[in-house]
Amino acid sequence: MIVMKFGGTSVEDSAAIRRLIEIVDSELPRRPIVFVSACAGVTNQLLKIADFSATGKKDQANDLIAAIRSRHEKLVDELIGAELPKNYLKGKISVYAHELKNLSQAISVLGEVTGRSRDTIASYGERLSSMIIAQAMEESSMKSMFVDAREFMITDDNYSNAVPLFDIVEEKSKKLLLPLVRDGYVVVTQGFIGSSENGITTTIGRGGSDYSASIVGSLLDAEEIQIWTDVDGVLTADPSIVKGARRIKKMSFNEASELAYFGARVLHPKTILPAIDKSIPVYVRNSRNPSYNGTLITKGDGNKECVAKSIAYKERITLLNIESSRMFLAPNFLEAVFSVFSKYQTIAHAVATSEVSVTIAIEDTTHLEELKRDISEFAEVSESAGKAIVCIVGENIRYSPGVVGRIFSALKEVRVNMISQGASEINVGFVVDEKDIGQTVQMLHEELFADAGSQGSFHEIFD
Ligand code: ASP
């Protein structure tokens, strides 16, 4: 059995859905379970409906509901020929539109949107796309079965960022999905959405469909997890910055997690985690170019000649410089600093320390003022915004003497604010001014990938 996940752009219109059906058809002997996202842009529209309703902008909310309704009706018209299923789907769309209107109305009366109603509203995108796709598969004579993910993706009730309860998800998905797979059905279900133990709709975080697919793939011991998106795979750098960015054919789980975390947009940071547990290979592939193999993410990586795999970056970083001569060599200095970060639930993306100072890179500045206030009770603290973390990832960085020298001599012209090498030694990260990202990434790419052609020992790794 394999798990296939199709993202928003891979289900954005009837042409994309037809391509999806062809792709699934070509994998029928491997018994796919298919996870789908909402059509591209719909989740954003749904969340706007919630916000408009809470701020009294009823007309705007209603316009969006009408737009979502007509987009899905058009999909039904274009994909479904038979009268009965067509009427059934249109009826369902109309019911969903009414439910959305009622929710919107209730929110506008209260004047605020709770996490619970926000998640319920957000769930309609996946619920609409999946039911239409399952029916379109039937039309093309594929033996398919629609399953609502809320029946097996059981989560806690931390709305918008709900955490799946793995034991229950395992038990339910084994009971519900495996018999269908055994009977030869293509299961079609939704990513992103789930349900609390009390049956209330939840969502597991923006972009979470990848995560849903990889959780179920891992719990059901899938042979492979395929993430279908709109690019040819993971690249050596952002192609909008580096013209000669190359596709990476193969990378390790560790490399992929570091990259996803440091901003490679093609993968959700959590996607790889469940696959690592069971060493299930993950493919990132392009639904607009299915003949291309994409990127394989798997255990280990044998090619010792290739130092770096990719350069990623994260913008909108703020540095906090914390200094304390008073706490010079005090063993509890770092503890004091990090307990403030913990109090305000702020993640430190990179840290560099000396005996008397520590610099911490953060992305989330929601509690910046409180952080500064609490830290200033025992140290001097200053901030500098407008920064970016650039991160070079590669399993072989740790085995390659001189690589750090190559990196920094390539960056002679750039002002580097802070340097950190991850404990795993497979990444070297540093902070630069946001305005220098383009130059930094280009120069590094030239230095590290100039000879990464598709010949010789590199052909296994890069295209
Ligand atoms: N539709 C959801 C989102 O846009 C989940 C996903 O596509 O992965 O965040």
Side-chain angles (χ1 to χ4, degrees), residues 20-32:
L20 172 155
I21 293 174
E22 263 176 46
I23 294 169
V24 173
D25 194 52
S26 69
E27 292 284 23
L28 285 183
R30 301 174 78 196
R31 310 203 161 212

Side-chain angles (χ1 to χ4, degrees), residues 5 8 37-38 43 126 192 205-210:
K5 177 262 170 177
S37 288
T43 308
E126 270 72 10
F192 181 56
R206 289 305 306 271
S209 292
D210 287 3

Side-chain angles (χ1 to χ4, degrees), residues 5-9 36-44 46-47 122 125-126 191-193 203-212 268:
K5 177 262 170 177
F6 292 84
T9 49
V36 297
S37 288
C39 302
V42 169
T43 308
N44 285 344
L46 288 163
L47 293 174
E126 270 72 10
F192 181 56
I193 70 173
T203 63
I204 62 170
R206 289 305 306 271
S209 292
D210 287 3
Y211 190 36
S212 306
H268 187 277

Side-chain angles (χ1 to χ4, degrees), residues 178-199:
L178 284 185
L180 294 170
V181 173
R182 265 186 233 117
D183 288 347
Y185 287 97
V186 173
V187 173
V188 179
T189 186
Q190 307 100 346
F192 181 56
I193 70 173
S195 155
S196 70
E197 285 184 276
N198 297 329

